[in-house]
Amino acid sequence: MTRQRLRIRGLFQKYFLVLFLAVVIPLATNGVSEAWFGYRDQRATLDQLLGVEARSAGARIQGFLDDITNQLGWLVQLPWAEEPDERRRIDALRLLRQVPAIVNLTLLDGAGRERLYVSRIGLNRTETRTDRSADEAVTGARANRLWYGEVRYYRDSEPYMTIAMAGNRPSVGIVVAEVNLKLIWDVISSIKIGETGHAFVLDRPGRLVAHPDISLVLRGADEATLAPFRELREAIGRAGADVATGWDAEGIAVAAAAAPVAGPDWTVVVEQPLSEAFGPIYAALWRTVGLLLAGAAFAGLLAYVLASRMTKPIHLLEDGTERIGAGQFDHRIHIETGDELQRLAESFNAMAAELAVSQERQERIAKLKRFLAPQVAELVDRTGDDDVLEGRRTEVVTIFGDLRGFTAFSARATPEEVMSVLSEYYDALGGIITKYAATLTSFSGDGLMLLINAPVPVAEPALRAVDLAVEMQLCVQKLIVGWQRRGYRIGFGMGLAMGPATVGRIGYESRFDYTAIGSVVNLAARLCASAADREILADATVAEAVEGQRVLNPMGMRRLKGYDEEFLVYHVAYAERPDAA
Amino acid sequence: MRRRDVLAWLGAAAASTLPARAQSPAMPVIGYLAPESPVPFESRLKAFREGLADVGYVEGRNVAIEYRWADGRYDRLPSLAADLAGRNVSVLVASGGAPSAVAAKAATKTITIVFEMGGDPVALGVVDSLSRPAGNITGVSSLSVEVSRKRLEFMHELRPTASSFGVAVNPTSPTSGSQVRNLQMAAEALGVQLHVMNASTEGEFEAMFLSATQAQAGGLVFTSDPYFAFRSTKLADLCLRYSMPAVTQSRDFPAAGGLMSYGGDFIQSHRRAGNYAGRVLNGEKPSSLPVQLVTKVELVVNLKTAKALSITIPPSLISGADMVIE
């Protein structure tokens, strides 16, 4: 039982697993592949986005410098005269006001002599005519028209740069401006990459020119401060086309991209924390995970319901077969699935019905066998009905036989001896009765009554009755030899008569007997009663029926008990030794 | 009965947690040391609070500020600074000039100090380096002290014919010596004489103007000093009364009717000081907060006063002015 239960649970698990996997595997495959391609797309988008941001930031830094150089351009348009130029001084002062990043301006004439110096901090100078033509800034501006100096840190803190610009002809001179790069802060701090990302600027050797956190810039050329910025720039260089990832100064993982600022050869780096940059990717991943979980839960539910629905009929079938197996043939399995299982249940039901019929027949046969010879009983059963057992009037041969002196013997003998004798007696007769297909209507103590030709008609009933009687007599006589040797005084007499009688079942409920009623029964009984040991007495009807086939010797008229008239009684002749007969 | 027991127990529990809550203040405290009184400081405080807000701190909400005002008596600054240090504030802000910073530095070696001043903190010995201040102090410096000589230059440009100018000096200021030296060098370069006058109390102001007028000074140049800066209205009145053109460091001066001012933008310096105070509250150390120099120096000219004094402002000054009051 436990084994069966285990098997059933196993089937449920199997169904459940198969159905669950059938839904979950395609779902998971789809989800994972979608997430993977989404991730790749997002990375590509991010790379493009950061690239655009970097170029935009680069353009704004370039714009900061271009603003300065555009303004400087106004100071190198007119040629210098020998006398002081008041107009140019006012222009220079105005320029200082307009461009806060410029700390001081030096204007040189075509010969490279200092004509004007204006400053926010120091005293202004005019017409010192100091020769500055050997200055790096001057030679640089003369060679390239526009020259950017190296980034310097004033008092190791504030970043400064010199910008020099020459006019389109030598006579207009050169303007040299000191620019405080700290003021790029206004530009750099307004650059926001996404929500929390920002940009910073490095010069060619990797020094910090601008950063939203001005205190980082003011630390000057501090190697420890600059290292993470340089590393990030290198990481961008290594990443190539893909989005670069690295760590910013606070150790936060960032995605970064860079763009050059052409003039002073700077690099603008934009960075965005990975948590934010990959935010949409993570959101998509979480969405996928959520959908997968929901899908799995739904698949689980679905698989559970389906597996239950599939195993439920099987449970019903199992239960039904168990009941039918236990003999409950009226049990019917109700499965309305409209599939093979229903067909199976129907065939089980049909089987149960057939088993019920079969069992009924078995029971009937068992009942018939109590009084019919087995082969007759089978025959009756084969015909399918027991109408033959219904009461009717028919020609029968009645055979009676009983032991002589048995009553006296049973009074003397022990019960064991009595039962032993009866047992041998019926054992011997039972085989013969079966052999001749006679109907045993009753037996009580030492006597028995047989019918021939009822309920199943036979050919030549009289002949068969005579042969049966002879064989019984011979058989009992052999037993009697043994009994007499043991000292029992027992004999055996028989009587048979033929004639019409009413035959049929009598009794109640399951206690039915088959019997015959009529004078022929009485006659046979009387003949038997008057028969001596070894004698088989028959009436005239029997004798006539077997005339020429068996030898019956008339014994003359005899008065029988219970009858007024006398009957002609015949004696069946038979060989004493069955071997000789 | 049982419910009453529970209520009593709850009450006891609440009572026992109350002092504990009072003892663990979630709010950090800023000690704010200033040499003046709240009224002239209003605009500076506003800028300071904006700087704090940039880092996410709002007074009364997530930070408390303990104010100590010297009300113009700079000799009280050391005891006020010591008082704040004794209260073990989270950060000590020494605002409004070098005297506050010097007093704060003397008061504590452990509490982080954020100063706001006009002088050179390295020259004053407040910090040893701009980029990496060692110790417990950092802050913001406007360039007011450094540009005293520019004030003389502007005055000279305004009165090119004058041969001498008066210079007002507060001898108690730690920067007075260097400023006078700077001015003397500039005077030599410009070829003018300087008439140096001392004033460290309001009572000496009038005498100073009188002396400048008697010396026939072309104008009066004020050295950078908070004591002068916070008395702009009084000085402006005296200028008009004595018809003496004058230039100071603070834009308050032309706004109050004075002629000119040239100096660092105090709004910017106070705002950055607020920013640094907030960053110190966030746990940053002075060594990672370089001293900031306010680069913006502004020239403010009051044309109304110029007209009243019958002075013509030359175009070079007008074109260079960041703000012109008409």
Side-chain angles (χ1 to χ4, degrees), chain A residues 251-321:
Chain A
I252 297 167
V254 292
V261 180
D265 197 9
W266 292 346
T267 313
V268 176
V269 177
V270 296
E271 61 173 49
Q272 193 178 21
L274 274 187
S275 57
E276 187 194 325
F278 287 163
I281 300 176
Y282 294 145
L285 281 179
W286 279 119
R287 214 164 37 236
T288 305
V289 168
L291 282 175
L292 274 181
L293 285 179
F298 181 70
L301 194 71
L302 203 71
Y304 183 84
V305 170
L306 278 175
S308 299
R309 285 190 62 169
M310 287 175 79
T311 48
K312 197 180 159 205
I314 294 172
H315 275 288
L316 282 174
L317 276 173
E318 187 201 19
D319 181 55
T321 50

Side-chain angles (χ1 to χ4, degrees), chain A residues 102-114:
Chain A
I102 297 176
V103 179
N104 61 56
L105 285 169
T106 311
L107 276 78
L108 310 173
D109 62 15
R113 290 172 303 175
E114 181 187 301

Side-chain angles (χ1 to χ4, degrees), chain A residues 153 156-159 182 185 188 198-202 206-229 248-251 271, chain B residues 130-133 275-276 279 284-292:
Chain A
Y153 290 94
D156 293 334
S157 179
E158 306 234 329
K182 206 169 69 171
W185 185 84
I188 206 84
H198 58 258
F200 62 85
V201 182
L202 293 178
R207 288 175 302 186
L208 202 54
V209 175
H211 191 282
D213 182 359
I214 194 73
S215 64
L216 291 174
V217 178
L218 295 180
R219 284 183 209 171
D222 180 69
E223 289 301 317
T225 306
L226 296 176
F229 297 105
D248 71 357
E250 281 99 52
E271 61 173 49
Chain B
L130 293 180
S131 57
R132 289 247 161 207
N275 184 284
Y276 262 20
R279 288 178 68 169
E284 290 194 50
K285 296 276 162 270
S287 57
S288 67
L289 298 172
V291 173
Q292 291 199 47

Side-chain angles (χ1 to χ4, degrees), chain A residues 378-437:
Chain A
E378 284 289 345
L379 183 79
V380 169
D381 186 59
R382 257 203 311 280
T383 59
D385 63 81
D386 49 4
D387 290 348
V388 289
L389 303 179
E390 293 306 311
R392 64 195 154 94
R393 196 159 182 82
T394 186
E395 186 87 355
V396 295
V397 182
T398 314
I399 303 166
F400 275 82
D402 70 350
L403 292 171
R404 298 288 116 90
F406 184 77
T407 314
F409 158 73
S410 61
R412 280 193 314 270
T414 62
E416 287 78 22
E417 282 173 323
V418 173
M419 293 319 284
S420 154
V421 165
L422 282 180
S423 175
E424 286 173 34
Y425 172 63
Y426 281 117
D427 275 352
L429 293 187
I432 299 162
I433 293 164
T434 303
K435 182 177 159 194
Y436 285 90

Side-chain angles (χ1 to χ4, degrees), chain A residues 5 43 48 65 126 157 275 402 448 528 557-558 561:
Chain A
R5 281 270 165 265
R43 266 190 90 109
Q48 287 173 359
L65 295 172
T126 45
S157 179
S275 57
D402 70 350
L448 54 84
C528 176
M557 300 301 279
R558 276 203 195 181
K561 198 177 170 187

